[in-house]
Amino acid sequence: AQKVTQAQTEISVVEKEDVTLDCVYETRDTTYYLFWYKQPPSGELVFLIRRNSFDEQNEISGRYSWNFQKSTSSFNFTITASQVVDSAVYFCALSEAGGGGFKTIFGAGTRLFVKA
Amino acid sequence: NAGVTQTPKFQVLKTGQSMTLQCAQDMNHEYMSWYRQDPGMGLRLIHYSVGAGITDQGEVPNGYNVSRSTTEDFPLRLLSAAPSQTSVYFCASRPGTGGVRNEQFFGPGTRLTVL
């Protein structure tokens, strides 16, 4: 069965600090997709990144970077030099491709506070 | 494109009342889904649809019904509202082509309170 665990409920940092949000997943599929979404205080959900199970390359996009490690079933998200605008709830999600799977399962989310 | 739209934005119901949350998308997406968001629980899948006329249950389907008569619309019905259904409800869609590898597009949400 699919499962996504985001053990950090809330994180508080001071602006310009680096912060890593953890995501651990469980799946029996060999083909699956991992996602990160951001939910700012305004409430909408914004897609950030997708990774498939065959691509373990880390990715960097500006101040954001993602570290995907199949060996530890983790897909962690790092924000470098955090800014107040990064304050949001961040969700990790998992979709399985096998067994006719159409479901995307989300973790409980990590609320990030960035203080000026 | 309006993307994914949801109505109403806010709703207050009394226990036992029924209502329908509306969701529409104008991107011709085959896949649509409903989630509820509760503190500490993340987003939990209620029901989803892979195309007109095809729906299936998610993680927490009890107390909710859905139907999909058109590609554009995917309403969520609360049959007899209970306080446990107080939540924020999100509708989402994604293209059918490419399936689960696609990210979902979310509506703005409906905040429902059941008294």
Side-chain angles (χ1 to χ4, degrees):
Chain A
Q2 298 168 263
K3 186 177 180 182
V4 176
T5 302
Q6 294 181 257
Q8 303 151 308
T9 305
E10 290 186 358
I11 301 175
S12 184
V13 299
V14 177
E15 213 171 16
K16 298 184 183 176
E17 281 186 27
D18 298 347
V19 57
T20 295
L21 310 182
D22 297 332
C23 173
V24 174
Y25 62 92
E26 294 178 27
T27 178
R28 294 179 181 175
D29 260 7
T30 56
T31 302
Y32 52 90
Y33 300 87
L34 296 161
F35 304 82
W36 277 95
Y37 289 83
K38 175 182 180 180
Q39 186 179 42
S42 52
E44 75 273 21
L45 284 146
V46 179
F47 165 74
L48 294 177
I49 191 172
R50 167 187 51 243
R51 256 297 171 261
N52 73 59
S53 53
F54 297 107
D55 182 3
E56 286 194 73
Q57 273 194 322
N58 292 333
E59 180 152 342
I60 299 174
S61 176
R63 296 183 297 106
Y64 294 173
S65 63
W66 291 269
N67 179 256
F68 175 33
Q69 291 195 337
K70 289 178 73 172
S71 60
T72 56
S73 297
S74 64
F75 185 42
N76 296 338
F77 173 28
T78 297
I79 301 175
T80 302
S82 59
Q83 300 177 0
V84 172
V85 293
D86 296 326
S87 296
V89 181
Y90 291 87
F91 292 99
C92 181
L94 165 68
S95 293
E96 294 174 337
F102 300 102
K103 304 175 186 178
T104 298
I105 302 300
F106 285 75
T110 297
R111 183 177 297 275
L112 174 64
F113 295 97
V114 181
K115 296 179 285 189
Chain B
N1 285 353
V4 180
T5 58
Q6 291 182 237
T7 56
K9 288 188 177 181
F10 302 94
Q11 183 69 50
V12 178
L13 292 177
K14 294 181 180 178
T15 297
Q17 287 184 316
S18 62
M19 80 157 295
T20 299
L21 307 186
Q22 301 291 344
C23 174
Q25 53 90 11
D26 61 359
M27 298 173 282
N28 202 33
H29 286 170
E30 294 176 6
Y31 180 93
M32 296 185 73
S33 56
W34 277 101
Y35 290 87
R36 58 178 289 173
Q37 182 178 12
D38 303 293
M41 306 288 287
L43 291 156
R44 291 183 292 169
L45 183 64
I46 304 171
H47 285 285
Y48 64 95
S49 169
V50 299
I54 307 170
T55 64
D56 205 348
Q57 296 181 351
E59 302 169 87
V60 288
N62 292 341
Y64 307 95
N65 269 0
V66 292
S67 60
R68 182 101 178 266
S69 55
T70 68
T71 300
E72 294 78 20
D73 300 300
F74 190 43
L76 178 73
R77 297 184 189 84
L78 280 69
L79 309 173
S80 177
S84 60
Q85 293 178 305
T86 294
S87 187
V88 180
Y89 291 85
F90 286 96
C91 179
S93 73
R94 69 167 183 241
T97 303
V100 293
R101 72 172 65 103
N102 295 314
E103 73 270 21
Q104 296 189 80
F105 295 79
F106 284 85
T110 294
R111 186 174 294 273
L112 175 68
T113 301
V114 183
L115 303 175

